[in-house]
Amino acid sequence: MHPLKHRTMLSTTLKCTFWSNTFPTHNPFNPRKPFSASAVKYPKQEETPAQIVHWSGLNNWRSSPLNRNRFWGANGPQTSPIQPSFSNSGETGDSGSILCSIDWGCCSSLAEMGAVVLSTADPLQKSKLSHLAYSRWCQESLPVGVCEAPSKPARPQNPQLVSPKEIPSPKHSGLPLNAYMLHNLAHVELNAIDLAWDTVVRFSPHCEHLGEGFFADFAHVADDESRHFAWCLQRLEELGFSYGDMPAHNLLWRECDKTSDNVAARLAAIPLVQEARGLDAGPRLVQKMVGFGDLRTSNIVAKIADEELAHVAVGLYWFLSVCQKMGRAPCSTFKVLLKEYNVEIKGPFNYSARDEVGIPRDWYDPSFSRQGHGKDGLSEVYDRLACIISMEQENSKMDASRG
């Protein structure tokens, strides 16, 4: 049963405490600084998002039962062959244990449990605690609560975090291509767990203004990401490797950290840019795994990419909600926020997936003209050809690095 069925929705009135506690609460839409403390001129609402069509699967995703298929079996996702019996202490005695000293009885809210997940360094334990936290939220009707988010999530000793330039190429990583790509994906998914929980915990003081549905959605996202990480970890072990066997970068957290003061910027930078990149990269990664001959890994990647649609759709839904309540134009506001927070959008784009979740092309593609779209009937063909050419170029680079 979805947690919102057990609760009364809180007010979704957007007040100025969204972005700063320094503004008086009687003036929720400060015209000078509507998003953050920076002196940026934001656009008025000159456009309407009427052309935006939300992802058709969003309501089904929200109302879906708790997903316990955290093991990848012969035919796809399934429950673990060994079912741990979780207690409030978070401890079990089998091989799938979450052996830890955390007393879950001290956590009486979603935000408090999220802070525990963020403060957990061990990757596997973090993944399992994330699922346990969302399970309790769904089953025990806990409040969102309020909790202070740690400045940064706890991290294991390995992988070593280095600059992107120091990440070894597949040829020099010591891992075969499929394990190399899977390790990168596992790193993305681990960060995604923390990104979702940080959004829950950091903005928990503003539950009255955001509404409980905001936190329910992002806790659900965190649970999905923890399941994806578990699949990656399992497959890496099947291939004879472990998460931490090669260095990784910290760029994913950097985008989260610099939007910690601004919920609108967080929604723009993380779901609508960072997670949307997963929609772009997913099909290419699947193709690479198929080309490498690893169909099992390709199936895992394809499933993860398919489930990422919900996460981008959730980000779009709440970004539009925030803009509407502040009387701001979504498209121009999105672009201004990315410029202010120095967030870059990179192609090539998976237009079909982005269209499916509802992100208008003129938000992210400077070459797209809404007025001229579809005039010659060749735009869709051109998009597909451009994507195919980009995929072939990437494959050529990977082949060269392997040689």
Side-chain angles (χ1 to χ4, degrees):
M1 185 71 70
H2 193 272
L4 293 186
K5 292 184 179 180
H6 296 285
R7 300 175 172 85
T8 301
M9 290 289 290
L10 298 178
S11 169
T12 56
T13 303
L14 184 70
K15 297 183 179 179
C16 60
T17 46
F18 248 9
W19 43 85
S20 172
N21 290 323
T22 62
F23 296 139
T25 56
H26 65 271
N27 180 17
F29 304 112
N30 189 295
R32 292 174 298 148
K33 301 178 181 180
F35 287 111
S36 68
S38 59
V40 175
K41 294 181 180 180
Y42 289 88
K44 295 294 183 181
Q45 190 159 9
E46 301 166 349
E47 66 208 34
T48 63
Q51 73 279 4
I52 297 176
V53 179
H54 287 293
W55 179 54
S56 61
L58 185 56
N59 288 335
N60 287 338
W61 176 81
R62 283 172 166 164
S63 61
S64 61
L66 189 65
N67 192 329
R68 302 185 186 277
N69 295 330
R70 304 176 63 80
F71 181 82
W72 195 271
N75 299 312
Q78 65 176 61
T79 57
S80 175
I82 301 177
Q83 287 294 322
S85 177
F86 296 118
S87 66
N88 277 344
S89 66
E91 297 182 358
T92 67
D94 55 43
S95 60
S97 62
I98 307 178
L99 297 176
C100 60
S101 58
I102 297 169
D103 183 6
W104 282 105
C106 294
C107 296
S108 58
S109 70
L110 181 68
E112 289 174 328
M113 292 189 295
V116 168
V117 177
L118 289 167
S119 302
T120 301
D122 180 79
L124 182 58
Q125 187 176 356
K126 183 189 290 285
S127 171
K128 292 181 176 180
L129 288 176
S130 182
H131 179 58
L132 180 58
Y134 183 65
S135 300
R136 285 195 63 197
W137 159 255
C138 290
Q139 297 169 353
E140 299 181 22
S141 300
L142 299 177
V144 171
V146 176
C147 190
E148 182 178 356
S151 59
K152 59 182 180 179
R155 284 284 180 261
Q157 184 175 357
N158 289 314
Q160 180 184 3
L161 298 180
V162 299
S163 71
K165 294 181 179 179
E166 296 178 273
I167 300 295
S169 66
K171 182 178 180 180
H172 299 97
S173 67
L175 279 66
L177 180 61
N178 57 342
Y180 177 91
M181 302 301 291
L182 193 57
H183 189 282
N184 289 340
L185 180 58
H187 185 64
V188 169
E189 297 301 333
L190 181 66
N191 274 270
I193 297 172
D194 287 326
L195 295 178
W197 281 119
D198 185 85
T199 299
V200 169
V201 179
R202 191 166 303 280
F203 298 108
S204 61
H206 311 306
C207 181
E208 178 184 354
H209 318 304
L210 283 165
E212 194 170 281
F214 176 92
F215 300 92
D217 278 352
F218 282 96
H220 192 165
V221 169
D223 186 50
D224 286 353
E225 305 292 16
S226 72
R227 186 173 63 256
H228 297 167
F229 179 73
W231 293 341
C232 292
L233 215 61
Q234 176 193 337
R235 183 58 181 153
L236 270 175
E237 292 176 353
E238 291 173 355
L239 294 172
F241 301 94
S242 300
Y243 177 67
D245 282 352
M246 60 172 281
H249 61 73
N250 204 33
L251 289 180
L252 299 170
W253 179 254
R254 186 184 68 180
E255 302 296 313
C256 184
D257 185 49
K258 65 187 182 183
T259 59
S260 61
D261 65 335
N262 186 324
V263 69
R266 171 65 61 87
L267 294 169
I270 303 304
L272 297 182
V273 173
Q274 195 172 108
E275 294 215 58
R277 286 174 184 162
L279 302 184
D280 302 329
R284 300 198 299 270
L285 184 53
V286 170
Q287 185 185 58
K288 289 173 185 176
M289 294 297 101
V290 171
F292 192 79
D294 189 348
L295 297 182
R296 182 169 170 82
T297 301
S298 73
N299 290 334
I300 293 173
V301 174
K303 181 62 174 176
I304 291 174
D306 181 64
E307 293 191 355
E308 292 295 340
L309 289 168
H311 305 170
V312 181
V314 160
L316 177 62
Y317 177 91
W318 289 108
F319 182 77
L320 292 174
S321 175
V322 168
C323 288
Q324 182 183 29
K325 294 175 189 302
M326 291 190 297
R328 300 293 166 178
C331 177
S332 46
T333 297
F334 176 72
K335 294 176 180 178
V336 169
L337 284 169
L338 297 192
K339 183 177 181 180
E340 180 192 357
Y341 284 83
N342 192 29
V343 177
E344 184 180 5
I345 299 181
K346 299 179 180 179
F349 303 115
N350 182 349
Y351 290 107
S352 60
R354 286 171 173 262
D355 290 347
E356 185 177 355
V357 297
I359 307 177
R361 295 192 187 186
D362 53 338
W363 284 31
Y364 60 88
D365 187 352
S367 67
F368 178 78
S369 169
R370 185 172 300 281
Q371 290 76 16
H373 182 58
K375 277 185 177 180
D376 55 9
L378 295 177
S379 56
E380 184 175 352
V381 175
Y382 176 82
D383 292 344
R384 292 177 182 272
L385 287 174
C387 185
I388 292 172
I389 291 171
S390 175
M391 292 167 65
E392 291 299 327
Q393 288 175 341
E394 287 199 16
N395 287 336
S396 297
K397 291 179 182 178
M398 296 300 293
D399 291 340
S401 65
R402 288 167 62 186

